[in-house]
Amino acid sequence: MAPSTEDSPAGIYFSELLEKDASKSTALAAIETLMSTLEKSKATTVNELTDELKKVVTAMQSTDYSSTSVKSASELFMRFISLASLDLQTFDECMKVLKERGTRFIARVAESRQKIARFAQPFIKNNSRILTHSYSKVVLEALGKVAASGTSFHVFVTESRPDFSGSRTKERLDSIGIPCTLILDSAVGYLMESIDFVFVGAEGVMETGGIINKIGTLGLAICAKAMNKPVYVMTESIKFVKEYPLNQQDIPEVFKYRASTLKENKNLADEHPLVDYTPPQYIKLLFTDLGILTPAAVGDELIKLYL
Amino acid sequence: MRRMSLLDSPSQGSAIHPAFIALKARCESREIVDLDAICIEFVAAFKQFILSYNKPSDKAMSRDVDALIKPQLSYITGGLPLPLAIGNLVKQLKQEINALSDDCTEEKGKQQLTDWLDEFVENRIQLAFQAISLFTRDKLKGAHVVLTYSWCPLVEQTLLAAHEDGVNFHVCVLDSYPCQRGKKLLNSLCKADISCSYGLITSVSHLIKQCRLVLLGCSAILSNGYALAIRGSSQVAMVAQAANIPVLLAAPTYKFVDKVQTFTEGHRSSCTALVSERMEMIPADLITAVVTELRILPPSSAPAVLRAKQLVV
């Protein structure tokens, strides 16, 4: 059996999906890749099909895109399509049902950003000053929709080193016409007193109700808590992950470093982690397509999703 | 508080089953100490009671057994409340007894009830302990120094199992007077060649600086996420929180109860039957995670566990 790498057809398809559409969510791309594998599959048994899909997931996780999103989305997709008994006559009928469920799942996921934007609408009033971190497609879409409805607000976005992804956010906001200021990561403390609230995205939502997001989010959240500014997280429910980190050191390594870094077997003590874990006590609310949740409710939702 | 002595005669007419007399005596003499051990002995005593039951020909088994249990339980409790988790078990057992069909034979009824009791011990205690050990082992891998308090059989089993699996860690055992139960844990850990240190609870602030994880046992988890544990546990949890060390509580789902309480009430009500130690509340915000056989949960998810296990009354 050939080992799955990012050079496999699935890995290439996945990377192409994300390169073609910069605003596509990593999780959605993962699901679409799985769906296309399902459609092209020549498997004749359920086990064969499951193995094929698992190989595709491994291939996607070995690309440098967010491993957290890929993992959670893939797991939920697999569960959704195989939920309920499949004691149908032939494998072909089985495949039909799986494909139909897959299409429904994708449609639901594609709508999730619009739902989140709708939930966020009442929270943003005229002349709000919003702080955000790094580059989050969900947050951008939500801010875009709220601005389109006529609300005026000012966004401050951190540069977010080492990849300066904050500047991509500024470019997008400028192109939509939302007033935006790019700030240094270290200027968060200075600015926090004049901010109304913080909006961040998440790469993964943990069972604790906390989130994994671009490094710097934890510092931002602690600062906001100290000054009594609410931190709102915007994320789709496909990013809910079955992990329970107790502290920063307990974050699984596949989330902290890029796949390419892990493959090179470098001494990880010298590598800078790309993400940090923000515990639930610093988060006020999570805006998801399942509704506006408190961090405590995330645990309940996860039990329901993974039951 | 007046303690029931062994010479007290039970209520008129109904004889107390010797298994229950032995259970109460052993608990009072502190031969059996932790809640998990007490629960297992309690189930064993109940099993003996059911096996020695003789069904009268004119009465339905479910109603008869139900009526006979009352004096047995009031002997055991002696006016005090049952420990919460055992109260849960008794409620579920009563439901099981009531579910016996009216026309079931003595044989069948006994079989059903003893099967249920056996299944409870096997699934909710023994297998649950194994699952909890596995979940905790993954967290022990990263934490090279673990702090624990007093003796809890589940914590002991977890540490021994993790060590057998090759996880390397050092254990700090905290203890308190007068019972000094921590020495029991220390003995079994040393026998297994696990590197340990020992201190009294007064040295917690000093020892916490060396530790990366705190692992505690408990006797119940309430539906608001608060935990009932032996006295001293909340002190350890508070110091751990101040030092930013995560606190893990090992709790099989049978210990989850549908009750809400935020503070340890006065002297009288903190005593329960069978359990000789005094208990206290650990507030939910001091607990980082509760390890159950289902998954690792935040304490705020206690109601979800109650729903999942249909323990909601």
Side-chain angles (χ1 to χ4, degrees), chain A residues 8-41:
Chain A
S8 75
I12 298 178
Y13 182 85
F14 173 64
S15 308
E16 276 177 5
L17 275 177
L18 284 169
E19 277 160 35
K20 258 188 264 174
D21 184 358
S23 69
K24 190 186 278 280
S25 135
T26 319
L28 186 59
I31 298 172
E32 285 178 358
T33 312
L34 285 171
M35 192 66 207
S36 93
T37 315
L38 191 64
E39 279 168 357
K40 292 184 205 147
S41 167

PDB file of all heavy atoms in Angstrom, chain A residues 8-41:
ATOM      1  N   SER A   8      -0.602  12.843  -2.879  1.00  0.00           N
ATOM      2  CA  SER A   8      -1.604  11.930  -3.407  1.00  0.00           C
ATOM      3  C   SER A   8      -2.708  12.759  -4.060  1.00  0.00           C
ATOM      4  O   SER A   8      -2.881  13.935  -3.728  1.00  0.00           O
ATOM      5  CB  SER A   8      -2.179  11.087  -2.275  1.00  0.00           C
ATOM      6  OG  SER A   8      -3.058  11.871  -1.523  1.00  0.00           O
ATOM      7  N   PRO A   9      -3.484  12.150  -4.961  1.00  0.00           N
ATOM      8  CA  PRO A   9      -4.534  12.918  -5.674  1.00  0.00           C
ATOM      9  C   PRO A   9      -5.478  13.635  -4.727  1.00  0.00           C
ATOM     10  O   PRO A   9      -5.879  14.766  -4.984  1.00  0.00           O
ATOM     11  CB  PRO A   9      -5.294  11.837  -6.467  1.00  0.00           C
ATOM     12  CG  PRO A   9      -4.528  10.589  -6.325  1.00  0.00           C
ATOM     13  CD  PRO A   9      -3.392  10.777  -5.433  1.00  0.00           C
ATOM     14  N   ALA A  10      -5.800  13.002  -3.605  1.00  0.00           N
ATOM     15  CA  ALA A  10      -6.721  13.642  -2.666  1.00  0.00           C
ATOM     16  C   ALA A  10      -6.100  14.886  -2.066  1.00  0.00           C
ATOM     17  O   ALA A  10      -6.721  15.945  -1.968  1.00  0.00           O
ATOM     18  CB  ALA A  10      -7.097  12.656  -1.564  1.00  0.00           C
ATOM     19  N   GLY A  11      -4.821  14.734  -1.663  1.00  0.00           N
ATOM     20  CA  GLY A  11      -4.135  15.870  -1.075  1.00  0.00           C
ATOM     21  C   GLY A  11      -4.042  17.032  -2.045  1.00  0.00           C
ATOM     22  O   GLY A  11      -4.216  18.197  -1.673  1.00  0.00           O
ATOM     23  N   ILE A  12      -3.783  16.700  -3.318  1.00  0.00           N
ATOM     24  CA  ILE A  12      -3.662  17.753  -4.338  1.00  0.00           C
ATOM     25  C   ILE A  12      -5.009  18.420  -4.553  1.00  0.00           C
ATOM     26  O   ILE A  12      -5.106  19.653  -4.641  1.00  0.00           O
ATOM     27  CB  ILE A  12      -3.133  17.156  -5.659  1.00  0.00           C
ATOM     28  CG1 ILE A  12      -1.727  16.579  -5.430  1.00  0.00           C
ATOM     29  CG2 ILE A  12      -3.120  18.192  -6.757  1.00  0.00           C
ATOM     30  CD1 ILE A  12      -1.126  15.921  -6.632  1.00  0.00           C
ATOM     31  N   TYR A  13      -6.069  17.622  -4.669  1.00  0.00           N
ATOM     32  CA  TYR A  13      -7.423  18.151  -4.862  1.00  0.00           C
ATOM     33  C   TYR A  13      -7.776  19.119  -3.746  1.00  0.00           C
ATOM     34  O   TYR A  13      -8.301  20.208  -3.955  1.00  0.00           O
ATOM     35  CB  TYR A  13      -8.403  16.970  -4.892  1.00  0.00           C
ATOM     36  CG  TYR A  13      -9.842  17.344  -5.134  1.00  0.00           C
ATOM     37  CD1 TYR A  13     -10.339  17.510  -6.423  1.00  0.00           C
ATOM     38  CD2 TYR A  13     -10.731  17.545  -4.072  1.00  0.00           C
ATOM     39  CE1 TYR A  13     -11.661  17.851  -6.643  1.00  0.00           C
ATOM     40  CE2 TYR A  13     -12.039  17.889  -4.280  1.00  0.00           C
ATOM     41  CZ  TYR A  13     -12.507  18.037  -5.561  1.00  0.00           C
ATOM     42  OH  TYR A  13     -13.818  18.369  -5.774  1.00  0.00           O
ATOM     43  N   PHE A  14      -7.478  18.692  -2.511  1.00  0.00           N
ATOM     44  CA  PHE A  14      -7.757  19.488  -1.319  1.00  0.00           C
ATOM     45  C   PHE A  14      -7.019  20.826  -1.371  1.00  0.00           C
ATOM     46  O   PHE A  14      -7.607  21.893  -1.186  1.00  0.00           O
ATOM     47  CB  PHE A  14      -7.352  18.663  -0.088  1.00  0.00           C
ATOM     48  CG  PHE A  14      -7.421  19.391   1.219  1.00  0.00           C
ATOM     49  CD1 PHE A  14      -8.630  19.854   1.719  1.00  0.00           C
ATOM     50  CD2 PHE A  14      -6.282  19.600   1.980  1.00  0.00           C
ATOM     51  CE1 PHE A  14      -8.696  20.517   2.937  1.00  0.00           C
ATOM     52  CE2 PHE A  14      -6.333  20.252   3.199  1.00  0.00           C
ATOM     53  CZ  PHE A  14      -7.540  20.719   3.674  1.00  0.00           C
ATOM     54  N   SER A  15      -5.697  20.764  -1.671  1.00  0.00           N
ATOM     55  CA  SER A  15      -4.904  22.002  -1.719  1.00  0.00           C
ATOM     56  C   SER A  15      -5.419  22.922  -2.818  1.00  0.00           C
ATOM     57  O   SER A  15      -5.488  24.142  -2.628  1.00  0.00           O
ATOM     58  CB  SER A  15      -3.430  21.701  -1.961  1.00  0.00           C
ATOM     59  OG  SER A  15      -2.980  20.750  -1.046  1.00  0.00           O
ATOM     60  N   GLU A  16      -5.793  22.321  -3.956  1.00  0.00           N
ATOM     61  CA  GLU A  16      -6.281  23.155  -5.065  1.00  0.00           C
ATOM     62  C   GLU A  16      -7.565  23.875  -4.698  1.00  0.00           C
ATOM     63  O   GLU A  16      -7.740  25.051  -5.020  1.00  0.00           O
ATOM     64  CB  GLU A  16      -6.519  22.292  -6.310  1.00  0.00           C
ATOM     65  CG  GLU A  16      -5.250  22.081  -7.105  1.00  0.00           C
ATOM     66  CD  GLU A  16      -5.471  21.161  -8.288  1.00  0.00           C
ATOM     67  OE1 GLU A  16      -6.628  20.770  -8.537  1.00  0.00           O
ATOM     68  OE2 GLU A  16      -4.485  20.840  -8.946  1.00  0.00           O
ATOM     69  N   LEU A  17      -8.466  23.165  -4.020  1.00  0.00           N
ATOM     70  CA  LEU A  17      -9.729  23.780  -3.597  1.00  0.00           C
ATOM     71  C   LEU A  17      -9.470  25.047  -2.787  1.00  0.00           C
ATOM     72  O   LEU A  17     -10.123  26.067  -2.961  1.00  0.00           O
ATOM     73  CB  LEU A  17     -10.534  22.812  -2.727  1.00  0.00           C
ATOM     74  CG  LEU A  17     -11.437  21.801  -3.410  1.00  0.00           C
ATOM     75  CD1 LEU A  17     -12.068  20.910  -2.357  1.00  0.00           C
ATOM     76  CD2 LEU A  17     -12.533  22.496  -4.211  1.00  0.00           C
ATOM     77  N   LEU A  18      -8.472  24.955  -1.886  1.00  0.00           N
ATOM     78  CA  LEU A  18      -8.208  26.092  -1.012  1.00  0.00           C
ATOM     79  C   LEU A  18      -7.473  27.202  -1.737  1.00  0.00           C
ATOM     80  O   LEU A  18      -7.659  28.380  -1.439  1.00  0.00           O
ATOM     81  CB  LEU A  18      -7.405  25.624   0.213  1.00  0.00           C
ATOM     82  CG  LEU A  18      -8.263  24.882   1.238  1.00  0.00           C
ATOM     83  CD1 LEU A  18      -7.396  24.224   2.288  1.00  0.00           C
ATOM     84  CD2 LEU A  18      -9.242  25.838   1.901  1.00  0.00           C
ATOM     85  N   GLU A  19      -6.622  26.799  -2.703  1.00  0.00           N
ATOM     86  CA  GLU A  19      -5.894  27.843  -3.420  1.00  0.00           C
ATOM     87  C   GLU A  19      -6.813  28.611  -4.354  1.00  0.00           C
ATOM     88  O   GLU A  19      -6.655  29.817  -4.549  1.00  0.00           O
ATOM     89  CB  GLU A  19      -4.731  27.224  -4.213  1.00  0.00           C
ATOM     90  CG  GLU A  19      -3.486  27.004  -3.350  1.00  0.00           C
ATOM     91  CD  GLU A  19      -2.562  25.990  -3.971  1.00  0.00           C
ATOM     92  OE1 GLU A  19      -2.488  25.962  -5.219  1.00  0.00           O
ATOM     93  OE2 GLU A  19      -1.931  25.233  -3.226  1.00  0.00           O
ATOM     94  N   LYS A  20      -7.775  27.896  -4.935  1.00  0.00           N
ATOM     95  CA  LYS A  20      -8.663  28.560  -5.908  1.00  0.00           C
ATOM     96  C   LYS A  20      -9.550  29.587  -5.238  1.00  0.00           C
ATOM     97  O   LYS A  20      -9.780  30.673  -5.745  1.00  0.00           O
ATOM     98  CB  LYS A  20      -9.553  27.502  -6.594  1.00  0.00           C
ATOM     99  CG  LYS A  20      -9.085  27.125  -7.987  1.00  0.00           C
ATOM    100  CD  LYS A  20     -10.093  26.239  -8.683  1.00  0.00           C
ATOM    101  CE  LYS A  20      -9.689  24.790  -8.511  1.00  0.00           C
ATOM    102  NZ  LYS A  20     -10.678  23.844  -9.027  1.00  0.00           N
ATOM    103  N   ASP A  21     -10.101  29.233  -4.074  1.00  0.00           N
ATOM    104  CA  ASP A  21     -11.026  30.130  -3.392  1.00  0.00           C
ATOM    105  C   ASP A  21     -10.471  30.481  -2.025  1.00  0.00           C
ATOM    106  O   ASP A  21     -10.533  29.679  -1.097  1.00  0.00           O
ATOM    107  CB  ASP A  21     -12.395  29.439  -3.259  1.00  0.00           C
ATOM    108  CG  ASP A  21     -13.442  30.349  -2.650  1.00  0.00           C
ATOM    109  OD1 ASP A  21     -13.096  31.510  -2.294  1.00  0.00           O
ATOM    110  OD2 ASP A  21     -14.600  29.913  -2.523  1.00  0.00           O
ATOM    111  N   ALA A  22      -9.947  31.704  -1.929  1.00  0.00           N
ATOM    112  CA  ALA A  22      -9.267  32.087  -0.693  1.00  0.00           C
ATOM    113  C   ALA A  22     -10.210  32.167   0.492  1.00  0.00           C
ATOM    114  O   ALA A  22      -9.805  32.066   1.639  1.00  0.00           O
ATOM    115  CB  ALA A  22      -8.569  33.428  -0.895  1.00  0.00           C
ATOM    116  N   SER A  23     -11.518  32.340   0.207  1.00  0.00           N
ATOM    117  CA  SER A  23     -12.420  32.518   1.346  1.00  0.00           C
ATOM    118  C   SER A  23     -13.071  31.207   1.775  1.00  0.00           C
ATOM    119  O   SER A  23     -13.892  31.172   2.677  1.00  0.00           O
ATOM    120  CB  SER A  23     -13.506  33.532   0.984  1.00  0.00           C
ATOM    121  OG  SER A  23     -14.357  32.949   0.006  1.00  0.00           O
ATOM    122  N   LYS A  24     -12.665  30.100   1.118  1.00  0.00           N
ATOM    123  CA  LYS A  24     -13.313  28.830   1.478  1.00  0.00           C
ATOM    124  C   LYS A  24     -12.758  28.339   2.805  1.00  0.00           C
ATOM    125  O   LYS A  24     -11.564  28.394   3.061  1.00  0.00           O
ATOM    126  CB  LYS A  24     -13.062  27.788   0.394  1.00  0.00           C
ATOM    127  CG  LYS A  24     -13.895  26.522   0.565  1.00  0.00           C
ATOM    128  CD  LYS A  24     -13.496  25.461  -0.444  1.00  0.00           C
ATOM    129  CE  LYS A  24     -14.149  25.698  -1.772  1.00  0.00           C
ATOM    130  NZ  LYS A  24     -15.545  25.215  -1.788  1.00  0.00           N
ATOM    131  N   SER A  25     -13.649  27.829   3.635  1.00  0.00           N
ATOM    132  CA  SER A  25     -13.209  27.322   4.928  1.00  0.00           C
ATOM    133  C   SER A  25     -12.447  26.012   4.739  1.00  0.00           C
ATOM    134  O   SER A  25     -12.817  25.185   3.920  1.00  0.00           O
ATOM    135  CB  SER A  25     -14.448  27.112   5.817  1.00  0.00           C
ATOM    136  OG  SER A  25     -14.404  25.890   6.474  1.00  0.00           O
ATOM    137  N   THR A  26     -11.369  25.841   5.512  1.00  0.00           N
ATOM    138  CA  THR A  26     -10.565  24.622   5.422  1.00  0.00           C
ATOM    139  C   THR A  26     -11.429  23.399   5.681  1.00  0.00           C
ATOM    140  O   THR A  26     -11.311  22.369   5.020  1.00  0.00           O
ATOM    141  CB  THR A  26      -9.433  24.653   6.471  1.00  0.00           C
ATOM    142  OG1 THR A  26      -8.890  25.949   6.522  1.00  0.00           O
ATOM    143  CG2 THR A  26      -8.361  23.642   6.153  1.00  0.00           C
ATOM    144  N   ALA A  27     -12.313  23.528   6.663  1.00  0.00           N
ATOM    145  CA  ALA A  27     -13.165  22.399   7.024  1.00  0.00           C
ATOM    146  C   ALA A  27     -14.083  22.021   5.870  1.00  0.00           C
ATOM    147  O   ALA A  27     -14.279  20.841   5.567  1.00  0.00           O
ATOM    148  CB  ALA A  27     -13.974  22.755   8.264  1.00  0.00           C
ATOM    149  N   LEU A  28     -14.648  23.049   5.202  1.00  0.00           N
ATOM    150  CA  LEU A  28     -15.546  22.780   4.074  1.00  0.00           C
ATOM    151  C   LEU A  28     -14.792  22.109   2.938  1.00  0.00           C
ATOM    152  O   LEU A  28     -15.284  21.165   2.308  1.00  0.00           O
ATOM    153  CB  LEU A  28     -16.187  24.085   3.589  1.00  0.00           C
ATOM    154  CG  LEU A  28     -17.260  23.956   2.502  1.00  0.00           C
ATOM    155  CD1 LEU A  28     -18.400  23.076   2.988  1.00  0.00           C
ATOM    156  CD2 LEU A  28     -17.798  25.318   2.119  1.00  0.00           C
ATOM    157  N   ALA A  29     -13.566  22.574   2.676  1.00  0.00           N
ATOM    158  CA  ALA A  29     -12.745  21.965   1.623  1.00  0.00           C
ATOM    159  C   ALA A  29     -12.475  20.504   1.950  1.00  0.00           C
ATOM    160  O   ALA A  29     -12.508  19.635   1.076  1.00  0.00           O
ATOM    161  CB  ALA A  29     -11.436  22.733   1.479  1.00  0.00           C
ATOM    162  N   ALA A  30     -12.227  20.220   3.228  1.00  0.00           N
ATOM    163  CA  ALA A  30     -11.972  18.835   3.641  1.00  0.00           C
ATOM    164  C   ALA A  30     -13.178  17.969   3.341  1.00  0.00           C
ATOM    165  O   ALA A  30     -13.068  16.862   2.799  1.00  0.00           O
ATOM    166  CB  ALA A  30     -11.641  18.788   5.138  1.00  0.00           C
ATOM    167  N   ILE A  31     -14.356  18.487   3.678  1.00  0.00           N
ATOM    168  CA  ILE A  31     -15.576  17.710   3.447  1.00  0.00           C
ATOM    169  C   ILE A  31     -15.827  17.523   1.959  1.00  0.00           C
ATOM    170  O   ILE A  31     -16.241  16.441   1.513  1.00  0.00           O
ATOM    171  CB  ILE A  31     -16.779  18.404   4.104  1.00  0.00           C
ATOM    172  CG1 ILE A  31     -16.559  18.480   5.602  1.00  0.00           C
ATOM    173  CG2 ILE A  31     -18.041  17.632   3.844  1.00  0.00           C
ATOM    174  CD1 ILE A  31     -17.587  19.307   6.297  1.00  0.00           C
ATOM    175  N   GLU A  32     -15.572  18.570   1.173  1.00  0.00           N
ATOM    176  CA  GLU A  32     -15.787  18.446  -0.275  1.00  0.00           C
ATOM    177  C   GLU A  32     -14.840  17.422  -0.883  1.00  0.00           C
ATOM    178  O   GLU A  32     -15.221  16.669  -1.784  1.00  0.00           O
ATOM    179  CB  GLU A  32     -15.626  19.809  -0.942  1.00  0.00           C
ATOM    180  CG  GLU A  32     -16.821  20.709  -0.684  1.00  0.00           C
ATOM    181  CD  GLU A  32     -16.665  22.086  -1.300  1.00  0.00           C
ATOM    182  OE1 GLU A  32     -15.602  22.341  -1.889  1.00  0.00           O
ATOM    183  OE2 GLU A  32     -17.606  22.892  -1.165  1.00  0.00           O
ATOM    184  N   THR A  33     -13.611  17.385  -0.352  1.00  0.00           N
ATOM    185  CA  THR A  33     -12.664  16.384  -0.845  1.00  0.00           C
ATOM    186  C   THR A  33     -13.173  14.981  -0.529  1.00  0.00           C
ATOM    187  O   THR A  33     -13.134  14.076  -1.373  1.00  0.00           O
ATOM    188  CB  THR A  33     -11.283  16.586  -0.184  1.00  0.00           C
ATOM    189  OG1 THR A  33     -10.928  17.941  -0.260  1.00  0.00           O
ATOM    190  CG2 THR A  33     -10.224  15.718  -0.837  1.00  0.00           C
ATOM    191  N   LEU A  34     -13.680  14.801   0.688  1.00  0.00           N
ATOM    192  CA  LEU A  34     -14.212  13.491   1.072  1.00  0.00           C
ATOM    193  C   LEU A  34     -15.404  13.123   0.201  1.00  0.00           C
ATOM    194  O   LEU A  34     -15.566  11.975  -0.211  1.00  0.00           O
ATOM    195  CB  LEU A  34     -14.633  13.503   2.544  1.00  0.00           C
ATOM    196  CG  LEU A  34     -13.487  13.466   3.558  1.00  0.00           C
ATOM    197  CD1 LEU A  34     -14.007  13.711   4.961  1.00  0.00           C
ATOM    198  CD2 LEU A  34     -12.777  12.132   3.510  1.00  0.00           C
ATOM    199  N   MET A  35     -16.248  14.125  -0.087  1.00  0.00           N
ATOM    200  CA  MET A  35     -17.432  13.899  -0.918  1.00  0.00           C
ATOM    201  C   MET A  35     -17.028  13.462  -2.309  1.00  0.00           C
ATOM    202  O   MET A  35     -17.611  12.536  -2.895  1.00  0.00           O
ATOM    203  CB  MET A  35     -18.246  15.197  -0.977  1.00  0.00           C
ATOM    204  CG  MET A  35     -19.616  15.024  -1.561  1.00  0.00           C
ATOM    205  SD  MET A  35     -20.630  14.016  -0.526  1.00  0.00           S
ATOM    206  CE  MET A  35     -21.737  13.350  -1.717  1.00  0.00           C
ATOM    207  N   SER A  36     -15.996  14.129  -2.868  1.00  0.00           N
ATOM    208  CA  SER A  36     -15.582  13.768  -4.226  1.00  0.00           C
ATOM    209  C   SER A  36     -14.965  12.384  -4.229  1.00  0.00           C
ATOM    210  O   SER A  36     -15.136  11.623  -5.185  1.00  0.00           O
ATOM    211  CB  SER A  36     -14.629  14.826  -4.791  1.00  0.00           C
ATOM    212  OG  SER A  36     -13.300  14.464  -4.537  1.00  0.00           O
ATOM    213  N   THR A  37     -14.268  12.011  -3.152  1.00  0.00           N
ATOM    214  CA  THR A  37     -13.733  10.649  -3.045  1.00  0.00           C
ATOM    215  C   THR A  37     -14.878   9.655  -3.030  1.00  0.00           C
ATOM    216  O   THR A  37     -14.831   8.603  -3.673  1.00  0.00           O
ATOM    217  CB  THR A  37     -12.907  10.478  -1.761  1.00  0.00           C
ATOM    218  OG1 THR A  37     -12.044  11.578  -1.600  1.00  0.00           O
ATOM    219  CG2 THR A  37     -12.132   9.184  -1.769  1.00  0.00           C
ATOM    220  N   LEU A  38     -15.932  10.012  -2.290  1.00  0.00           N
ATOM    221  CA  LEU A  38     -17.101   9.149  -2.178  1.00  0.00           C
ATOM    222  C   LEU A  38     -17.733   8.937  -3.558  1.00  0.00           C
ATOM    223  O   LEU A  38     -18.093   7.826  -3.936  1.00  0.00           O
ATOM    224  CB  LEU A  38     -18.104   9.803  -1.227  1.00  0.00           C
ATOM    225  CG  LEU A  38     -19.298   8.990  -0.745  1.00  0.00           C
ATOM    226  CD1 LEU A  38     -18.836   7.823   0.080  1.00  0.00           C
ATOM    227  CD2 LEU A  38     -20.210   9.871   0.087  1.00  0.00           C
ATOM    228  N   GLU A  39     -17.815  10.038  -4.323  1.00  0.00           N
ATOM    229  CA  GLU A  39     -18.462   9.946  -5.626  1.00  0.00           C
ATOM    230  C   GLU A  39     -17.644   9.147  -6.621  1.00  0.00           C
ATOM    231  O   GLU A  39     -18.177   8.403  -7.425  1.00  0.00           O
ATOM    232  CB  GLU A  39     -18.735  11.345  -6.172  1.00  0.00           C
ATOM    233  CG  GLU A  39     -19.986  11.947  -5.567  1.00  0.00           C
ATOM    234  CD  GLU A  39     -20.125  13.421  -5.862  1.00  0.00           C
ATOM    235  OE1 GLU A  39     -19.205  13.977  -6.492  1.00  0.00           O
ATOM    236  OE2 GLU A  39     -21.144  13.998  -5.455  1.00  0.00           O
ATOM    237  N   LYS A  40     -16.294   9.313  -6.552  1.00  0.00           N
ATOM    238  CA  LYS A  40     -15.465   8.622  -7.534  1.00  0.00           C
ATOM    239  C   LYS A  40     -15.101   7.220  -7.080  1.00  0.00           C
ATOM    240  O   LYS A  40     -14.456   6.477  -7.793  1.00  0.00           O
ATOM    241  CB  LYS A  40     -14.168   9.409  -7.739  1.00  0.00           C
ATOM    242  CG  LYS A  40     -14.345  10.746  -8.419  1.00  0.00           C
ATOM    243  CD  LYS A  40     -12.978  11.398  -8.657  1.00  0.00           C
ATOM    244  CE  LYS A  40     -13.119  12.909  -8.751  1.00  0.00           C
ATOM    245  NZ  LYS A  40     -11.938  13.581  -8.207  1.00  0.00           N
ATOM    246  N   SER A  41     -15.523   6.854  -5.875  1.00  0.00           N
ATOM    247  CA  SER A  41     -15.026   5.607  -5.295  1.00  0.00           C
ATOM    248  C   SER A  41     -15.487   4.371  -6.060  1.00  0.00           C
ATOM    249  O   SER A  41     -16.622   4.281  -6.505  1.00  0.00           O
ATOM    250  CB  SER A  41     -15.498   5.510  -3.848  1.00  0.00           C
ATOM    251  OG  SER A  41     -15.305   4.216  -3.360  1.00  0.00           O
TER     252      SER A  41
END
